Amino acid sequence: MTGGRAPWVLLGPACLAGALALLPLGYLAVRALERGPGFAWSVVTTEGTAQLMGRSLALAAAVVLACLILGISLAWLTVRTALPGVRAWAVAATLPLAVPSYVAAFAWLSAVPGLAGFTGSAVALTLVSYPYVYLPVAAALRGLDPAHEEAARSLGLGPVATFVRVVLPHLRPAAAGGGLLVALYVLSDFGAVSLMRYDTFTRGIYVSYQASFDRTPAAALSVVLVLMTVGLVALETRTRGRHRHARTGSGTARPPVPVPLGRLTAPALAWCGAVVSAAVVFPLATLAYWLVTGQRSTWDLPRLAETAGATLGAAAAGALLTTVLALPVGVVAARYRGRAAELLEQAAYAGHALPGITVALALVFFAVRYVHPIYQELPLLVCAYAVLFLPIAVTATRAAVLQSPPVLEDVARSLGHRPLRVLRTITVPLAAPGVAAGAALTFVVCMKELPATLLLRPTGMDTLATRLWTETGVGAYADAAPYAAVLILLAAVPSYLLGRHRT
């Protein structure tokens, strides 16, 4: 089933998903060219724009490199070694997904004010986003047949050479996909860089929107950000390559024998403990301080429960829509070659690097002009989540489909089954664990999303993220503590399940 032209049963829904993801770009084109190409060009060629680009790319590069180191090392330790308490460490390694970037940024900034700027932004964003690398790499390691490594060792390669020459090439698609998600997350982040007072494209666009009624400069800056995203996606596609990563030989892959650490046990435990402490324990300790400080204040429990319910409902709807839209795109990207497949995948990534405020304003523009009944209603917010987080579900789906042997789909088609039946009976069941993991990850990030939720939530509706931001914005950290605690608690549940899942 690899190669050739994708069937319309996949291509049609994939085009629909791509069209939704590209909708903000239509808005940007209208706004950016509203005062003519000359004015837009004058905005994007200023020295300030070049500085924003350099600062954004430098931050993304630093965070991606750090996340690759953290994610690959933790994945190896928790999947392939006899690390004491390995199951607990595997769960703990995923828990930073439950910590919003703005909570992590405030925790570090309040304790170490000197971190403000590039260093603080890099630290906060690395500690909350390395699971984007850890999860797919750990899944790839669990699916890798140890026979490849045993064959390399029998030919005289040492442990390090075997890892570099045999294991790493098989991990490349997962690591590259995770690194791409981290880069796009960094480029689109608003909360952490704002609190750390580090000027990136997202902060520059937000300031431009707030400073003037003229949306053209901000739209022009957003176009540059989209072009940066397209470049990153193209680079990741080249890095991934077209190699097959599924096992198609006879027999069943054996589970790997855990590697004894010996004298490296203590350093390995110290490494895992340091990462988890910095990413999870420290923010929770800071949050506990807020809760203790605010003991004398009155908590509005009914409002807290209502806000938590609204958050869960919106996030669940967003995760469901995003997963449904991502399924055909992920299958097409994994199974078919050609320009159409590449364009669809790149289109799916377009909205993820846009600031939430830009996506929100684009959807407001579209809703007011064409579908006014959903303006300031939940469906519009759910569509924003799908635009923003479609790459997360696409990456998980594509990686899961790549891990399943395409020969099974070829056999089904040779027996006369139509593409829809092959998809329903072969492709989806085999990829189901990876798709479910992507859905859980999408659910977590939907709960934490802030800028788009601030603009698109229905009148009178609050989420935990918006309440937290409102209270911290006026310095009421003790009042914000209950909302932060519930947000982290709810997000920790799917994060725990992701870490606990071991095949």
Side-chain angles (χ1 to χ4, degrees):
M1 195 172 174
T2 303
R5 182 177 178 180
W8 279 106
V9 70
L10 288 173
L11 205 56
C15 289
L16 178 62
L20 178 62
L22 291 174
L23 182 62
L25 299 186
Y27 164 81
L28 291 179
V30 172
R31 286 295 191 187
L33 299 177
E34 201 169 34
R35 297 175 59 181
F39 181 81
W41 181 253
S42 67
V43 172
V44 301
T45 55
T46 62
E47 182 179 353
T49 301
Q51 290 178 348
L52 288 177
M53 180 182 295
R55 294 163 71 92
S56 298
L57 290 176
L59 180 62
V63 174
V64 168
L65 178 60
C67 286
L68 288 173
I69 294 173
L70 295 180
I72 294 176
S73 63
L74 289 176
W76 175 259
L77 289 173
T78 57
V79 174
R80 285 301 186 92
T81 72
L83 183 72
V86 63
R87 291 184 178 273
W89 289 118
V91 172
T94 65
L95 291 181
L97 292 173
V99 182
S101 65
Y102 40 88
V103 172
F106 173 77
W108 284 97
L109 190 61
S110 62
V112 190
L115 279 178
F118 176 86
T119 302
S121 300
V123 169
L125 289 170
T126 296
L127 292 175
V128 300
S129 57
Y130 79 81
Y132 290 122
V133 175
Y134 167 80
L135 287 170
V137 170
L141 280 171
R142 286 192 290 268
L144 180 61
D145 190 346
H148 299 297
E149 300 158 67
E150 294 170 359
R153 295 296 299 272
S154 69
L155 294 174
L157 293 181
V160 176
T162 299
F163 181 81
V164 172
R165 297 178 61 179
V166 177
V167 178
L168 277 184
H170 284 84
L171 300 182
R172 187 174 64 178
L180 176 62
L181 287 178
V182 171
L184 298 183
Y185 181 86
V186 172
L187 290 178
S188 63
D189 179 77
F190 171 74
V193 295
S194 295
L195 288 177
M196 288 292 180
R197 298 184 294 279
Y198 183 73
D199 288 328
T200 60
F201 259 108
T202 51
R203 194 165 185 239
I205 291 169
Y206 179 79
V207 170
S208 179
Y209 272 123
Q210 294 293 317
S212 172
F213 288 106
D214 184 5
R215 308 303 190 197
T216 302
L221 292 177
S222 297
V223 171
V224 177
L225 192 55
V226 171
L227 294 177
M228 293 167 60
T229 301
V230 172
L232 287 175
V233 173
L235 180 63
E236 188 271 342
T237 301
R238 286 182 174 273
T239 302
R240 184 199 321 156
R242 283 289 178 180
H243 301 290
R244 294 188 177 186
H245 302 279
R247 186 179 189 272
T248 57
S250 61
T252 302
R254 294 177 289 102
V257 177
V259 177
L261 292 173
R263 291 179 296 177
L264 296 178
T265 300
L269 288 173
W271 173 248
C272 294
V275 175
V276 172
S277 296
V280 180
V281 177
F282 181 77
L284 291 180
T286 304
L287 178 58
Y289 170 78
W290 295 348
L291 290 170
V292 171
T293 303
Q295 275 186 340
R296 289 172 291 182
S297 62
T298 302
W299 292 2
D300 190 346
L301 294 181
R303 184 174 188 178
L304 181 61
E306 179 183 358
T307 304
T311 302
L312 289 173
L320 178 61
L321 177 62
T322 305
T323 303
V324 170
L325 292 174
L327 182 61
V329 179
V331 174
V332 169
R335 287 290 189 251
Y336 298 95
R337 300 180 181 181
R339 189 61 178 165
E342 293 182 3
L343 288 176
L344 282 172
E345 187 179 6
Q346 292 175 1
Y349 282 91
H352 192 62
L354 288 175
I357 188 173
T358 301
V359 173
L361 288 173
L363 293 179
V364 167
F365 176 83
F366 177 78
V368 169
R369 294 201 175 198
Y370 304 107
V371 283
H372 194 272
I374 68 171
Y375 175 62
Q376 287 192 323
E377 297 293 340
L378 184 60
L380 195 62
L381 177 60
V382 171
C383 288
Y385 289 158
V387 172
L388 288 168
F389 305 125
L390 188 60
I392 295 176
V394 168
T395 299
T397 301
R398 186 193 67 207
V401 174
L402 282 173
Q403 289 281 327
S404 60
V407 66
L408 299 178
E409 300 162 25
D410 293 336
V411 170
R413 295 189 67 184
S414 69
L415 294 175
H417 294 313
R418 293 184 177 276
L420 180 59
R421 186 174 181 183
V422 174
L423 178 70
R424 180 172 54 85
T425 60
I426 304 295
T427 309
V428 172
L430 288 175
V435 174
L441 197 56
T442 304
F443 178 76
V444 171
V445 295
C446 285
M447 280 199 294
K448 299 189 297 181
E449 203 287 327
L450 179 64
T453 309
L454 283 171
L455 289 181
L456 295 178
R457 69 189 192 276
T459 303
M461 171 185 163
D462 273 319
T463 67
L464 294 169
T466 60
R467 287 299 307 169
L468 174 60
W469 183 261
T470 300
E471 300 295 348
T472 54
V474 296
Y477 302 118
D479 293 333
Y483 297 98
V486 174
L487 176 60
I488 291 178
L489 179 63
L490 293 178
V493 174
S495 300
Y496 167 80
L497 294 176
L498 285 171
R500 189 172 180 271
H501 175 69
R502 296 174 64 87
T503 57

